Amino acid sequence: MKPGDKVICIDASIDAGKSEEIRKDFEIWITKDKEYTIREILDNNGIVPGVLLDEIHNFPKFFKLLGRMQEPAFATWRFRKLNYASKSEAEEHEAELVEVEKPAIEKVEKR
């Protein structure tokens, strides 16, 4: 993975024991099955590599373990890279998702 890559969130779960800590560090959390764009990759001093996303911006926090302020990053294992051959192919995929979702919304509205 590298900055600019499109990824999909495959795991947005939060371990019950870390829920309070996560809520303090992240104002905005990721959503499973949602597509994101990698903004930056942080090595976090070799502890756990993390990614920052174009679609989510959280306020920087002081991390004692890192000894510095930084925007909290999401673990790379929470994402899978999407492999689009080109930008137009990615746009076609997005258009297909809109088409698939439309009838489902119309069914709900008719009820």
Side-chain angles (χ1 to χ4, degrees), residues 30-83:
I30 50 178
T31 303
K32 187 173 192 255
D33 297 327
K34 185 171 178 179
E35 291 183 20
Y36 296 97
T37 306
I38 294 179
R39 172 168 40 107
E40 188 176 345
I41 298 178
L42 304 174
D43 78 346
N44 293 322
N45 294 350
I47 299 167
V48 176
V51 295
L52 301 179
L53 306 166
D54 280 343
E55 297 80 3
I56 296 177
H57 292 263
N58 285 299
F59 290 107
K61 308 279 183 191
F62 181 81
F63 290 93
K64 189 174 183 177
L65 193 58
L66 299 174
R68 69 174 178 261
M69 295 277 296
Q70 82 172 36
E71 182 178 347
F74 299 99
T76 56
W77 55 263
R78 294 184 176 278
F79 303 92
R80 180 176 51 82
K81 184 179 173 186
L82 293 172
N83 295 311

